[in-house]
Amino acid sequence: MIIVMASWAVPEHVDGVLAKVQEMGKQHHLLKGDSRTLIVLTGEEDPDAQRHFANLPGVERLLAVAGSFKLASREFRMENTQVFVGCVPGTDKPVVFGGREAHIIAGPCAIEGESVSMEIARQVKAAGGKLYRGGAFKPRASPYSFQGLGKIGLKVLEKIRREVGLLIVTEVLEAADVDDVAAVADVVQIGMRNMANFRLLTAVAKTNKPVLLKRGMSATINEFLMAAEYILSAGNPNLILCERGIRTFETHTRYTLDINAVAAVKQLSHLPIIVDPSHGTGLWKLVEPAACAGIAAGGDGILIEVHTDPQHALSDGTQALLCDKLPGLMKKLQGIARVLDRDLS
Amino acid sequence: MIIVMASWAVPEHVDGVLAKVQEMGKQHHLLKGDSRTLIVLTGEEDPDAQRHFANLPGVERLLAVAGSFKLASREFRMENTQVFVGCVPGTDKPVVFGGREAHIIAGPCAIEGESVSMEIARQVKAAGGKLYRGGAFKPRASPYSFQGLGKIGLKVLEKIRREVGLLIVTEVLEAADVDDVAAVADVVQIGMRNMANFRLLTAVAKTNKPVLLKRGMSATINEFLMAAEYILSAGNPNLILCERGIRTFETHTRYTLDINAVAAVKQLSHLPIIVDPSHGTGLWKLVEPAACAGIAAGGDGILIEVHTDPQHALSDGTQALLCDKLPGLMKKLQGIARVLDRDLS
Amino acid sequence: MIIVMASWAVPEHVDGVLAKVQEMGKQHHLLKGDSRTLIVLTGEEDPDAQRHFANLPGVERLLAVAGSFKLASREFRMENTQVFVGCVPGTDKPVVFGGREAHIIAGPCAIEGESVSMEIARQVKAAGGKLYRGGAFKPRASPYSFQGLGKIGLKVLEKIRREVGLLIVTEVLEAADVDDVAAVADVVQIGMRNMANFRLLTAVAKTNKPVLLKRGMSATINEFLMAAEYILSAGNPNLILCERGIRTFETHTRYTLDINAVAAVKQLSHLPIIVDPSHGTGLWKLVEPAACAGIAAGGDGILIEVHTDPQHALSDGTQALLCDKLPGLMKKLQGIARVLDRDLS
Amino acid sequence: MIIVMASWAVPEHVDGVLAKVQEMGKQHHLLKGDSRTLIVLTGEEDPDAQRHFANLPGVERLLAVAGSFKLASREFRMENTQVFVGCVPGTDKPVVFGGREAHIIAGPCAIEGESVSMEIARQVKAAGGKLYRGGAFKPRASPYSFQGLGKIGLKVLEKIRREVGLLIVTEVLEAADVDDVAAVADVVQIGMRNMANFRLLTAVAKTNKPVLLKRGMSATINEFLMAAEYILSAGNPNLILCERGIRTFETHTRYTLDINAVAAVKQLSHLPIIVDPSHGTGLWKLVEPAACAGIAAGGDGILIEVHTDPQHALSDGTQALLCDKLPGLMKKLQGIARVLDRDLS
């Protein structure tokens, strides 16, 4: 960390800071420039250090030298982390995120009932999909909206896994449900609203199940990787990140898919990152081009909402793609992946 | 809700929408304009209705007529809700939010230990304060940062309430802790990160304790009032809102205090709203002017971080005001309140 | 436009609005719902109409039915506009934006001197590029920064066009320079800072040269298309749009490339749109993935900063790609374009 | 500036940077920490320096030590700049911004015709106002909207100045109009859309008239002060800044009035800053509380839209206050100013 003294700071101010540095037993360098004095603290960045200096008299501001995430950084681990999610049920085909192959995770926003959910699952399977998404528990902005089927929904997912043969990705909303969800899910999803719910992050991490962590709608890339740090530091390395759009001033789309973040995370971190074009745009007509962009930018997969009958979907129907569009989309994504020396299946 | 048909929509498209309207048993009006056909659904706004129409063929978009909150709206309740928080311990002075008097809630960001917390409490009391804030549980962006003292912190708050004589405002992070926190707190705070944690909102609501709900850093005013709706619809009318700054492109300040939202909430809702200039600016030098602006804009109180020794504060020291600045600030806020035919004590 | 009356509006309020409607000679429908009365104005949307109603007593708010751009909309023109920029100098190869082929426009941010600018041009040509970008006039945030070579820079561009054989894309900053710039440029660029400089838009439109209009860093898609409307309504149909990143809360990247906007503009408008991954990311390491995403999302071309020696570039060196990376990038972009049944050359 | 080397940087990388430092003849300090090497450049911050280092091999990133504005900074000038605008026509009452007194500038958004503009002026005068605002030239998002009366509008302003006795504040849109506008205006306004139109800033500065510079809707505080630097460095010290709201994700209000920026600018700079609650909220019902907040936060004045008949205003009627509300508002603002040991007249 670097402590920047104000241009009007007097020697007593500098001495006050140095005394504090001593008290904390930190190594430092003192630099007297023409306009300002700098005090540079060496050694590990200390996330709490700022509080000690920020309002000592004469201190103008503090500059952090390094990002505050460690285990999630490329510096900590140079090669890509490969997350083994499991084998497609009834086969020995392993599904791994972070390797050469990108994957599609498709399904309805919410599990609404057995028949429709099963039918969608069959179509995902028929299109060559290996992973099924669907929420048993749904966080909704309105208390008057459909909140998901809960444990009944988990039963449906279990049946889809067994009878259709798809790996299951589903969300957990609070610590109390973690065990129930982990018993069914191959990947436990932490939704956008909970990215900063650090209690939940830790609880999910402890299951040692692969985790899908969605970026908060207003989380910076650094905060996103700090949330990842919670899961990694709790001892669970099986982490997949997901860019799902950020909130900006633009109102035509529901969110702004941050394609830069996909490329940036691949550089800053060793963790796999997938893209959610359904929430990232909020408009089904934009889902295909956004999905193509996600793979083109280096994404390790696509998380997508599909439905047999979007206008009857009990949530987010406006952004669900018709199942019959899935094969065509997967073909395009595979073509793009191959141009980039990767593949999709 | 108003369904806007695309300019290229054919009669079959309109018929499809009308069939769906019938199926849902909604009343409607059909309007054929020069450029477009509109179908207006009358009766209650239905938060889930959009999904039925959004991607019917020929539908361009949907326009919501009313905001989706009901119990929180001025239309539901014209007069201001007055939230009785309790009497100042050891006195019969009632503290009410939403009435003529605005109030200050002051204290450290986090409870760090008995002696310093008590000392701050005594100074808040000496300055004429009636309410003390301090977090026993702290959500922190880094897993390596101080996370609060937990139940030990609650004990300290209990002692402050009893021995210093201040009402207690403190945050709860998850449903599991609600009872412990509610046993100590006069006002249970739901922090910015949990505004959209709907399970927690409901759990806290059921305690029937007064609730302080902070706005999410990227929640719209409408979403903020929808979160309030969760608490009101769970049967707890004792709700105080708090504007604490939103995330914008500006980086000089930690957040952008949305002073417009204070005035807007007073018009859209009957609920009291207070202002947090400490988080809203993130810079202690800006806290006083921002607090003055909060009261000038019609805020019902100020939530402020103070410390005897900010540079030793274990969190957010950069935004804590020195306790000895409190009396001067309160005098200014009282002066402004009186100009607006209100008061502060 | 739809006028939404407040739930508490009395008949006199409604009558007041209707009187105004009559005075304006607008056709309307009156709808009395359970909760509210609506007055729907049919016929053309009138951008100035709101002022007449917005604060009549009892009016809650106004809803616009259609976007306010006309000539730029798909409704006005269903097929894609194809902008003929010219033939590659010294050849009869036509360059058209908005057709099957996407194009690369490459060059330095600013023209800094003849030798380096010519050298970059030769490398762009060698890589198969057909269009050269470079600023003779540069808008800079600091008055102490390099502001461009002005007319000397235009001479260099003229020479590059003649001797290297590339079409020229360059920016104009104010009406007074339009003729000088148009005399040299094959495409006149209007920069991000000037998207809302409506005087300049009109002046440039009148040259009838193809125009490259960059999106303002905080312009909505609707405002972007309204700016396009200024150029189209001034009689110049030869317009190419450019998504170059918007300002958001994210600080790791210079801007957030709005990939959604590329797909949305292709649907809302008939105009071609290209992508600027250099400004859109601000980090040269992110330029290649962002460029790939731009083509994958349906972009009609890429505007990219390249340099032989970025660390000596007199502006924006941090986002310039080394020229020798250009051939590899173009090969990838071409591959992606072909997957989408398009091409790049 | 501080150059942060990547943790994986090798000695050759550091040598490369040092060679460049030498080549530029900059003084520096070399610091080898445990995790990273830092190279600190002392002396003046050089806005162009980054380009030389940003993509040298092994460089992770650059940290700026000081804000890049000089003449606008408190460090350059400790005491407040007082801008003398002139004496109220027909009197010897001087009007100064930046002193103890705050001032109101009131009038319609646009000059629409003599009679209504004069009538509003008389009411502003009657309320005790000294300055009149009104646009002869209006930048409008739609080419189909009213664009202002131009020179005819300037004649009306001249007449208001002479016959009603108010100082005139009016906007200029391009360099070509500067002389005409400056001939009539006591304060030349540069609007939000032109804050980064650096040619216009310089042209206006050269008139030596007092300048009112509005913040761009997505300009950071630092960029705002850099724009001020253009005017100051062109030799015109008579500069008044104006916070008028920034663009955020919030849609209930037209913009988000950045009250933090008012307090921050007073600390970072010696220049006076006023607040525009009309554009800052976009809703006339929020104008009064926002204006009170602006003065409470330390603003040196209020720029406000008033109208005798807002629903007939030819632009922005939704945010104009009725003239008869002006006396009551001014009384409140004066009360608040006095609480803060200032005054308003």
Side-chain angles (χ1 to χ4, degrees):
Chain A
M1 192 179 68
I2 299 160
I3 301 163
V4 181
M5 302 300 293
S7 58
W8 45 263
V10 295
E12 288 63 33
H13 294 149
V14 177
D15 296 343
V17 173
L18 294 177
K20 166 65 62 181
V21 170
Q22 213 116 44
E23 176 190 326
M24 293 172 62
K26 297 242 177 216
Q27 284 193 310
H28 73 283
H29 296 275
L30 179 66
L31 304 179
K32 293 194 193 301
D34 307 358
S35 59
R36 278 174 174 59
T37 296
L38 304 182
I39 293 139
V40 182
L41 303 188
T42 53
E44 281 280 290
E45 281 286 313
D46 166 2
D48 289 349
Q50 62 146 30
R51 70 174 185 267
H52 297 292
F53 300 101
N55 42 17
L56 284 176
V59 170
E60 185 174 283
R61 59 213 178 86
L62 306 173
L63 299 171
V65 171
S68 31
F69 49 94
K70 294 179 186 58
L71 305 178
S73 71
R74 274 269 177 220
E75 296 168 10
F76 178 78
R77 196 173 193 287
M78 288 302 266
E79 68 279 13
N80 290 340
T81 285
Q82 302 204 2
V83 177
F84 171 68
V85 166
C87 289
V88 179
T91 77
D92 56 3
K93 278 199 235 110
V95 173
V96 175
F97 281 81
R100 184 170 181 283
E101 271 197 350
H103 301 285
I104 289 243
I105 306 170
C109 181
I111 297 300
E112 300 153 13
E114 193 171 306
S115 59
V116 61
S117 303
M118 292 286 286
E119 175 52 25
I120 295 168
R122 281 186 213 98
Q123 297 199 30
V124 169
K125 181 80 172 181
K130 296 171 176 171
L131 302 104
Y132 184 83
R133 60 151 293 158
F137 301 97
K138 297 303 303 175
R140 304 300 303 280
S142 166
Y144 311 121
S145 297
F146 172 68
Q147 310 277 325
L149 296 178
K151 297 187 178 184
I152 298 162
L154 292 178
K155 291 253 162 301
V156 174
L157 289 168
E158 212 159 23
K159 189 170 177 187
I160 286 169
R161 190 183 197 290
R162 194 173 61 247
E163 298 189 5
V164 183
L166 290 168
L167 293 163
I168 301 299
V169 180
T170 194
E171 180 172 359
V172 63
L173 293 185
E174 67 178 329
D177 300 327
V178 168
D179 294 340
D180 291 341
V181 171
V184 172
D186 296 286
V187 179
V188 179
Q189 175 178 321
I190 293 170
M192 166 271 279
R193 289 182 176 78
N194 283 314
M195 188 204 86
N197 183 342
F198 304 122
R199 298 289 190 90
L200 184 61
L201 297 184
T202 311
V204 169
K206 294 202 184 312
T207 65
N208 275 311
K209 280 270 180 174
V211 179
L212 178 63
L213 178 65
K214 293 189 121 187
R215 180 183 184 184
M217 70 172 163
S218 59
T220 61
I221 292 168
N222 185 66
E223 290 166 335
F224 189 21
L225 291 172
M226 283 307 298
E229 194 81 5
Y230 264 92
I231 291 168
L232 298 177
S233 64
N236 188 343
N238 304 309
L239 179 55
I240 304 164
L241 303 176
C242 180
E243 162 60 33
R244 47 79 63 211
I246 58 175
R247 177 157 276 178
T248 70
F249 62 80
E250 180 57 65
T251 53
H252 178 74
T253 49
R254 186 174 178 188
Y255 295 100
T256 298
L257 186 66
D258 185 0
I259 207 74
N260 290 352
V262 178
V265 164
K266 296 299 290 182
Q267 289 179 1
L268 296 171
S269 177
H270 50 83
L271 294 167
I273 180 166
I274 66 174
V275 174
D276 175 350
S278 304
H279 286 87
T281 63
L283 298 168
W284 65 270
K285 290 178 187 170
L286 301 184
V287 167
E288 182 167 303
C292 291
I295 294 297
D300 295 299
I302 298 294
L303 179 70
I304 190 172
E305 288 183 11
V306 294
H307 208 284
T308 49
D309 181 9
Q311 59 261 37
H312 285 80
L314 288 179
S315 68
D316 289 345
T318 59
Q319 66 194 36
L321 208 63
L322 271 168
C323 285
D324 56 25
K325 290 231 173 74
L326 202 49
L329 172 59
M330 286 178 73
K331 197 164 166 311
K332 283 183 183 170
L333 297 178
Q334 185 177 56
I336 293 170
R338 288 177 176 169
V339 169
L340 303 173
D341 298 321
R342 300 187 65 178
D343 206 340
L344 179 133
S345 71
Chain B
M1 192 179 66
I2 299 161
I3 301 163
V4 181
M5 301 302 293
S7 58
W8 44 264
V10 296
E12 288 63 32
H13 294 150
V14 177
D15 297 342
V17 173
L18 293 178
K20 165 67 62 182
V21 171
Q22 213 119 43
E23 176 190 327
M24 295 172 62
K26 297 243 177 211
Q27 284 193 309
H28 74 282
H29 296 275
L30 178 66
L31 304 180
K32 293 190 193 304
D34 307 359
S35 58
R36 277 174 174 59
T37 296
L38 304 182
I39 293 138
V40 182
L41 304 188
T42 52
E44 282 279 292
E45 282 284 316
D46 167 2
D48 289 350
Q50 63 145 28
R51 70 172 185 267
H52 297 293
F53 300 101
N55 40 18
L56 283 176
V59 170
E60 185 174 285
R61 60 213 179 84
L62 307 174
L63 299 172
V65 171
S68 30
F69 49 93
K70 294 179 186 57
L71 305 179
S73 71
R74 273 268 178 219
E75 297 168 12
F76 178 78
R77 196 173 193 288
M78 288 302 266
E79 68 279 13
N80 290 341
T81 285
Q82 302 205 1
V83 177
F84 171 67
V85 165
C87 289
V88 178
T91 78
D92 56 2
K93 278 199 235 109
V95 173
V96 175
F97 281 81
R100 184 171 181 283
E101 271 198 350
H103 301 285
I104 289 242
I105 307 170
C109 180
I111 298 299
E112 300 154 10
E114 193 171 305
S115 59
V116 62
S117 303
M118 293 284 286
E119 175 52 26
I120 294 169
R122 280 186 215 96
Q123 297 199 27
V124 169
K125 181 81 171 181
K130 297 171 176 171
L131 302 104
Y132 184 82
R133 59 150 294 157
F137 302 98
K138 297 303 303 176
R140 302 300 302 278
S142 165
Y144 312 120
S145 297
F146 173 67
Q147 308 279 324
L149 296 177
K151 296 188 179 184
I152 299 162
L154 292 178
K155 291 252 163 302
V156 174
L157 288 168
E158 212 160 21
K159 189 169 176 186
I160 286 170
R161 191 184 196 293
R162 195 175 57 247
E163 297 189 6
V164 184
L166 290 169
L167 293 163
I168 300 300
V169 180
T170 195
E171 180 172 359
V172 63
L173 292 184
E174 66 179 330
D177 300 327
V178 167
D179 294 341
D180 290 342
V181 172
V184 173
D186 296 285
V187 178
V188 178
Q189 175 178 322
I190 293 170
M192 167 271 278
R193 289 181 177 78
N194 284 314
M195 187 205 85
N197 184 343
F198 304 121
R199 299 287 191 90
L200 183 62
L201 297 185
T202 312
V204 169
K206 293 200 185 314
T207 64
N208 276 312
K209 280 270 182 175
V211 179
L212 179 63
L213 177 66
K214 292 188 122 186
R215 180 184 184 183
M217 72 172 162
S218 59
T220 61
I221 292 168
N222 185 66
E223 290 167 335
F224 189 21
L225 291 172
M226 284 306 298
E229 194 82 5
Y230 264 92
I231 291 168
L232 298 177
S233 64
N236 188 341
N238 303 309
L239 179 56
I240 303 163
L241 303 175
C242 179
E243 161 60 35
R244 46 80 62 208
I246 59 175
R247 176 156 278 178
T248 70
F249 62 80
E250 180 57 65
T251 54
H252 178 74
T253 49
R254 185 175 179 187
Y255 295 100
T256 298
L257 185 67
D258 184 0
I259 207 74
N260 290 354
V262 178
V265 164
K266 296 300 289 181
Q267 289 178 0
L268 296 170
S269 177
H270 50 83
L271 294 167
I273 181 167
I274 66 173
V275 174
D276 175 349
S278 304
H279 286 89
T281 62
L283 298 168
W284 66 270
K285 290 177 186 171
L286 302 184
V287 166
E288 181 167 305
C292 290
I295 293 298
D300 295 299
I302 297 294
L303 179 70
I304 189 173
E305 289 183 12
V306 294
H307 208 285
T308 48
D309 182 8
Q311 59 261 37
H312 284 79
L314 287 177
S315 67
D316 290 344
T318 58
Q319 65 195 37
L321 209 64
L322 271 168
C323 284
D324 56 25
K325 290 229 171 75
L326 203 48
L329 172 59
M330 285 178 74
K331 196 164 167 314
K332 283 183 184 171
L333 296 178
Q334 185 176 57
I336 293 169
R338 289 178 176 168
V339 170
L340 304 172
D341 298 320
R342 300 187 65 178
D343 207 340
L344 178 134
S345 73
Chain C
M1 193 179 67
I2 298 160
I3 301 163
V4 180
M5 302 301 293
S7 57
W8 45 263
V10 295
E12 288 63 33
H13 294 149
V14 177
D15 297 342
V17 173
L18 293 178
K20 166 65 63 181
V21 171
Q22 213 116 43
E23 174 191 328
M24 293 172 63
K26 297 244 177 213
Q27 283 191 310
H28 74 283
H29 296 275
L30 178 67
L31 304 180
K32 293 192 192 302
D34 306 359
S35 58
R36 278 176 174 59
T37 296
L38 303 182
I39 293 139
V40 182
L41 304 188
T42 53
E44 282 280 292
E45 282 284 317
D46 167 1
D48 288 350
Q50 62 146 27
R51 71 175 183 266
H52 297 293
F53 300 102
N55 41 18
L56 283 177
V59 170
E60 185 174 285
R61 61 212 177 86
L62 307 174
L63 299 171
V65 170
S68 31
F69 49 92
K70 293 180 186 58
L71 305 178
S73 71
R74 275 269 177 218
E75 296 168 9
F76 179 78
R77 195 173 193 286
M78 287 301 266
E79 67 278 13
N80 289 340
T81 284
Q82 301 204 1
V83 177
F84 171 68
V85 166
C87 289
V88 179
T91 77
D92 56 2
K93 276 198 237 112
V95 173
V96 175
F97 281 81
R100 184 170 180 284
E101 271 197 349
H103 301 285
I104 289 241
I105 306 170
C109 180
I111 298 299
E112 301 155 10
E114 194 172 305
S115 59
V116 62
S117 303
M118 292 285 287
E119 174 52 26
I120 294 169
R122 280 186 214 96
Q123 297 199 28
V124 169
K125 181 80 172 183
K130 297 172 176 172
L131 302 104
Y132 183 83
R133 60 150 293 156
F137 301 97
K138 297 303 304 175
R140 302 301 302 280
S142 166
Y144 311 121
S145 298
F146 172 68
Q147 310 277 325
L149 295 178
K151 297 188 178 183
I152 297 161
L154 292 177
K155 290 251 162 303
V156 174
L157 289 168
E158 211 159 23
K159 188 169 178 186
I160 286 170
R161 190 184 196 291
R162 194 174 59 247
E163 298 189 5
V164 183
L166 291 168
L167 293 164
I168 300 299
V169 181
T170 194
E171 180 173 359
V172 62
L173 292 185
E174 67 178 328
D177 300 327
V178 168
D179 295 340
D180 291 341
V181 171
V184 172
D186 296 285
V187 179
V188 179
Q189 175 178 321
I190 293 170
M192 166 272 280
R193 288 182 177 79
N194 283 314
M195 188 204 85
N197 183 342
F198 303 122
R199 298 290 190 89
L200 184 61
L201 298 185
T202 311
V204 169
K206 294 202 185 313
T207 64
N208 275 310
K209 280 268 181 178
V211 178
L212 178 63
L213 177 65
K214 293 188 123 187
R215 181 184 184 183
M217 71 172 162
S218 58
T220 62
I221 292 168
N222 185 66
E223 291 166 335
F224 189 21
L225 291 172
M226 283 306 297
E229 195 80 5
Y230 264 92
I231 291 168
L232 298 177
S233 64
N236 188 342
N238 304 309
L239 179 55
I240 304 163
L241 303 175
C242 180
E243 161 60 35
R244 47 79 63 211
I246 58 174
R247 176 157 278 177
T248 69
F249 61 80
E250 180 58 65
T251 54
H252 178 74
T253 49
R254 186 173 178 188
Y255 295 100
T256 297
L257 186 66
D258 185 0
I259 207 73
N260 290 354
V262 178
V265 165
K266 297 299 289 182
Q267 288 179 1
L268 296 171
S269 177
H270 50 83
L271 294 167
I273 180 166
I274 66 174
V275 174
D276 176 349
S278 304
H279 287 88
T281 63
L283 298 168
W284 65 270
K285 289 176 187 172
L286 301 184
V287 167
E288 181 167 304
C292 290
I295 293 298
D300 295 299
I302 298 294
L303 180 70
I304 190 173
E305 289 183 11
V306 295
H307 207 285
T308 49
D309 181 8
Q311 59 261 39
H312 285 80
L314 287 178
S315 67
D316 290 346
T318 59
Q319 66 196 36
L321 208 64
L322 271 169
C323 285
D324 56 25
K325 290 230 172 74
L326 202 48
L329 172 59
M330 286 178 72
K331 196 164 166 313
K332 283 183 184 170
L333 296 179
Q334 185 177 56
I336 292 170
R338 288 178 177 168
V339 169
L340 303 173
D341 299 320
R342 300 187 65 177
D343 207 340
L344 178 134
S345 72
Chain D
M1 192 178 66
I2 297 161
I3 301 163
V4 180
M5 302 302 293
S7 58
W8 44 264
V10 295
E12 289 63 32
H13 295 149
V14 177
D15 297 343
V17 173
L18 293 177
K20 165 67 61 183
V21 171
Q22 214 119 41
E23 176 190 328
M24 294 172 63
K26 296 243 177 213
Q27 285 193 308
H28 74 284
H29 296 276
L30 178 67
L31 304 180
K32 292 191 195 303
D34 306 0
S35 59
R36 278 174 173 60
T37 295
L38 304 182
I39 294 137
V40 182
L41 304 188
T42 52
E44 281 280 292
E45 282 284 316
D46 167 2
D48 289 351
Q50 63 145 29
R51 71 173 184 267
H52 296 294
F53 299 103
N55 42 18
L56 283 176
V59 170
E60 185 173 285
R61 58 215 179 82
L62 307 173
L63 299 171
V65 171
S68 30
F69 48 92
K70 295 180 185 58
L71 305 179
S73 70
R74 275 267 178 221
E75 296 169 10
F76 178 78
R77 195 172 193 288
M78 288 301 266
E79 68 280 13
N80 290 340
T81 285
Q82 302 205 0
V83 177
F84 171 68
V85 165
C87 290
V88 179
T91 77
D92 56 3
K93 279 199 234 109
V95 173
V96 175
F97 281 82
R100 184 171 180 283
E101 271 198 350
H103 301 285
I104 290 240
I105 306 170
C109 179
I111 297 300
E112 300 154 10
E114 192 171 307
S115 60
V116 61
S117 303
M118 292 286 286
E119 174 53 25
I120 294 169
R122 280 185 215 97
Q123 297 199 26
V124 170
K125 181 80 172 183
K130 297 171 177 172
L131 302 104
Y132 184 83
R133 59 151 294 157
F137 302 98
K138 297 303 303 176
R140 302 302 301 279
S142 166
Y144 312 121
S145 298
F146 173 67
Q147 308 279 325
L149 295 178
K151 297 189 177 183
I152 298 162
L154 292 178
K155 291 251 161 303
V156 175
L157 289 168
E158 211 159 25
K159 188 169 176 185
I160 286 170
R161 191 184 196 292
R162 193 175 57 246
E163 298 190 6
V164 184
L166 291 168
L167 293 163
I168 300 299
V169 180
T170 193
E171 180 172 0
V172 64
L173 293 184
E174 67 178 329
D177 300 327
V178 167
D179 294 341
D180 290 342
V181 172
V184 173
D186 296 285
V187 179
V188 178
Q189 175 178 323
I190 293 170
M192 167 272 278
R193 288 182 177 78
N194 284 314
M195 187 206 86
N197 183 343
F198 304 121
R199 299 288 191 88
L200 183 61
L201 297 185
T202 311
V204 170
K206 293 200 185 313
T207 64
N208 275 312
K209 280 270 181 175
V211 178
L212 179 63
L213 177 65
K214 292 188 122 185
R215 180 184 185 183
M217 71 172 163
S218 59
T220 61
I221 292 169
N222 185 67
E223 291 167 335
F224 189 22
L225 293 172
M226 284 306 298
E229 194 81 4
Y230 264 91
I231 291 168
L232 298 177
S233 65
N236 188 343
N238 303 310
L239 179 55
I240 303 164
L241 303 175
C242 180
E243 161 59 34
R244 46 82 61 211
I246 58 174
R247 176 156 278 178
T248 70
F249 62 80
E250 180 58 63
T251 54
H252 178 74
T253 49
R254 185 175 179 187
Y255 295 99
T256 297
L257 186 66
D258 185 359
I259 207 74
N260 290 353
V262 178
V265 165
K266 296 300 289 182
Q267 288 179 0
L268 296 170
S269 177
H270 50 83
L271 294 167
I273 180 166
I274 66 173
V275 174
D276 175 350
S278 304
H279 286 88
T281 62
L283 298 168
W284 65 269
K285 290 178 187 171
L286 301 184
V287 165
E288 181 167 304
C292 291
I295 293 299
D300 295 299
I302 298 294
L303 179 69
I304 189 172
E305 289 184 10
V306 294
H307 207 285
T308 47
D309 181 8
Q311 60 261 38
H312 285 79
L314 288 178
S315 67
D316 291 344
T318 59
Q319 66 194 37
L321 208 64
L322 270 169
C323 285
D324 56 25
K325 291 231 172 72
L326 202 47
L329 172 59
M330 287 179 73
K331 196 164 168 310
K332 283 182 184 173
L333 296 178
Q334 185 176 55
I336 293 170
R338 288 176 177 171
V339 169
L340 304 173
D341 298 320
R342 301 187 65 178
D343 206 339
L344 178 133
S345 71

